[in-house]
Amino acid sequence: MTHWLVLPIVLPAMLAAMLVLAARYHLVIQRVVSVAGTVALLGLAVGLFWQASDGTISLYQLGNWPAPFGIVLVADRLSTLMVLITCVLAPLVLLYAIGSGWDSRGRHFHPLFQFQLMGILGAFLTGDAFNLFVFFEVLLIASYGLMIHSGGQKRLRAGTQYVLYNLLGSTLFLFALGTLYAETGTLNMADLAVRISNLDAGNSAGIRVAAVLLLMVFAVKAAILPLHFWLPA
């Protein structure tokens, strides 16, 4: 078990904490550390993608707890590709924020940016549906702060609306996960695939309900028509 797989999650989390605690009032230090961190993440993402490019699937069991009881990270071709795309875009977005001076409008832009990267990369690498929910909430909490970054009445009103609708989506997410666990007894994605495939068609009503709830959750969070009513603000 290689520890490289957990670094895309641990690195931005540590950088965010360090920026809040040690460089809160030093914008230049925040910029340097944040850019260096995103470049390091890009290097890690390239390495993970290269490792998975031949079809190798890497597993990381936190605390050596075996699935489906422990937290499991999975690196396959799809997840590492999504991680790589995120890590390519991250330094470009960060450089734009620095060049436009957007990061100077508040003290917490760079920590929030790193926390959002942590949530996004964790959501792509997790092998457990509940931890997908956890990482989603991490990136959403960071996005709440980024949305109201620099303040203003209009931005605060739009951010409040964004928070309320996403909290509604998160509640539906929990209902869906609870339904899945009640029907299958697990939330590990690989284990779910096996157990769902073994269910009789007549006993799949709960799974269908959970699937519809998950579809609604991601449609709300991604503002997909017709659940995009919060986006115009």
Side-chain angles (χ1 to χ4, degrees), residues 75-92:
D76 55 18
R77 285 176 176 173
L78 177 60
S79 62
T80 54
L81 175 61
M82 301 304 291
V83 167
L84 179 60
I85 293 173
T86 303
C87 291
V88 168
L89 293 175
L92 300 178

Side-chain angles (χ1 to χ4, degrees), residues 102-125:
W102 184 259
D103 64 330
S104 63
R105 301 185 184 184
R107 296 175 181 170
H108 304 296
F109 175 86
H110 291 283
L112 288 171
F113 188 81
Q114 294 297 325
F115 274 129
Q116 189 168 48
L117 284 178
M118 171 194 171
I120 295 172
L121 299 179
F124 288 143
L125 291 173

Side-chain angles (χ1 to χ4, degrees), residues 70-156:
I71 299 174
V72 178
L73 303 178
V74 181
D76 55 18
R77 285 176 176 173
L78 177 60
S79 62
T80 54
L81 175 61
M82 301 304 291
V83 167
L84 179 60
I85 293 173
T86 303
C87 291
V88 168
L89 293 175
L92 300 178
V93 173
L94 190 59
L95 290 174
Y96 175 79
I98 294 173
S100 63
W102 184 259
D103 64 330
S104 63
R105 301 185 184 184
R107 296 175 181 170
H108 304 296
F109 175 86
H110 291 283
L112 288 171
F113 188 81
Q114 294 297 325
F115 274 129
Q116 189 168 48
L117 284 178
M118 171 194 171
I120 295 172
L121 299 179
F124 288 143
L125 291 173
T126 185
D128 184 274
F130 181 78
N131 292 302
L132 175 64
F133 168 78
V134 172
F135 284 120
F136 242 93
E137 293 309 304
V138 171
L139 73 90
L140 284 174
I141 290 171
S143 70
Y144 299 155
L146 289 172
M147 177 160 286
I148 62 174
H149 178 73
S150 81
Q153 184 177 357
K154 291 183 178 180
R155 184 171 297 278
L156 182 60

Side-chain angles (χ1 to χ4, degrees), residues 156-180:
L156 182 60
R157 183 168 59 250
T160 302
Q161 182 179 352
Y162 176 69
V163 169
L164 291 176
Y165 285 125
N166 275 280
L167 286 177
L168 174 62
S170 298
T171 303
L172 293 177
F173 204 161
L174 284 177
F175 286 157
L177 294 180
T179 304
L180 279 177

